[in-house]
Amino acid sequence: TMAHVAYPSTPNFKNFKTDYLRALDWERPQEDSEQPEPDQAPRRRPPSRATFFGMVKLHGTNATVVFRNGNPRDAQIQARSWVIQDNKKDNCGTYALLSKAPLSSLVEQILAVRGQGDSFQEIYICGEIAGKGVQKGVAIVALERFFAIFNIRIDGHWVDMRKYKNCSLPEYRIYNLAQYKTFEVEIDFRAPTAAVLDLMNQYTADVYEACPFGAAFVDGAGKPVTGRGEGLVWTMVSEGNREFDDTLLVNFKTKGENFATTSQGPKVPKNVDAGAAGAVEQFADYALAERRYEQGIEYLEGEQARQGLAINGYDVKLTGPFIKWVTDDAIKEERNEMVRLGVPEKDAR
């Protein structure tokens, strides 16, 4: 087994914009030489205006498949944090589903779209395992378990999923999210983004009310699948002559209200001490929405699956690891807000 290849985390728009503007304003330090180190590509400034392609965000569990060294028949099936080698340490049926599919034909489809022959160093197919028994509260729980592709990377370059939308194996319950309802927005990061954020939030609210992916299917009784969607993931795509560094996955998410891991916005400070304690409370109010606690339970259950243990994320013996994960995740994901409020990390913990 080769090393696990981790999928990058997807920030919310607020954090994405903060970090993006920082990258836009980056200047090479005076003392730096103009030439990068031999093993480093020169740092490229991202475009100030870009098109973002929105696909439905499915409420499931992350799964990826890695192919290496030009071999389309040797698939490494992965959960978010480990390589799955058999059904004994599976994650929500990921291995059970994907190991039965002719994944080499998926590679052939991808290479055909690329149009540069059959050789490759690495193909990385990223998606979501979802459906019955994986999550709750969304339309797609009515469907038999499936894998939905949302990103592909070939030899270190993330592809434009609009061009690869037909890469799928529907007869094996392997779908491609780019085939279903999608959205596009143009964002000018040098201009106010309130209007485009309102538009994205409206699209997200529509998905939250009625999942367009689920609506494309019927349930076991032959009835159209109805119910909520989780939200949208927006990925930068090339448009016209606008180029960007496609070795980086430039994306962010917008979620329906029940799925947000933060409160809808930093709250107006309560009538508490305006000093450190007040700022810490404000940060906690913002960063600790119910969904983050649910993700903590999902993390524990994933770890139990990885170790081949019985699944019980509510085991009281796991209180310590649960608190640690939630705290670490909140600080990692919401560091920008923590800094804005002037909360030292040790106080946030």
Side-chain angles (χ1 to χ4, degrees), residues 324 327-328 331 335 343-349:
K324 182 180 186 307
T327 304
D328 289 349
I331 289 172
R335 183 170 295 278
V343 176
E345 183 172 327
K346 63 180 177 58
D347 292 350
R349 291 184 179 279

Side-chain angles (χ1 to χ4, degrees), residues 292-304:
R292 198 177 306 277
Y293 295 118
E294 292 173 353
Q295 287 180 334
I297 298 295
E298 290 161 16
Y299 163 77
L300 295 177
E301 291 175 345
E303 285 299 292
Q304 289 169 329

Side-chain angles (χ1 to χ4, degrees), residues 165-223:
K165 69 179 184 179
N166 291 322
C167 297
S168 60
L169 295 169
E171 61 274 33
Y172 292 92
R173 307 194 64 73
I174 296 176
Y175 305 112
N176 188 317
L177 278 171
Q179 284 183 19
Y180 300 85
K181 186 172 177 63
T182 59
F183 305 82
E184 282 189 25
V185 294
E186 185 95 357
I187 303 179
D188 183 348
F189 289 95
R190 293 299 191 196
T193 55
V196 72
L197 179 57
D198 284 346
L199 179 61
M200 291 189 293
N201 283 339
Q202 183 55 59
Y203 290 149
T204 303
D206 292 345
V207 167
Y208 177 67
E209 287 303 319
C211 176
F213 179 85
F217 296 86
V218 293
D219 62 19
K223 295 179 181 175

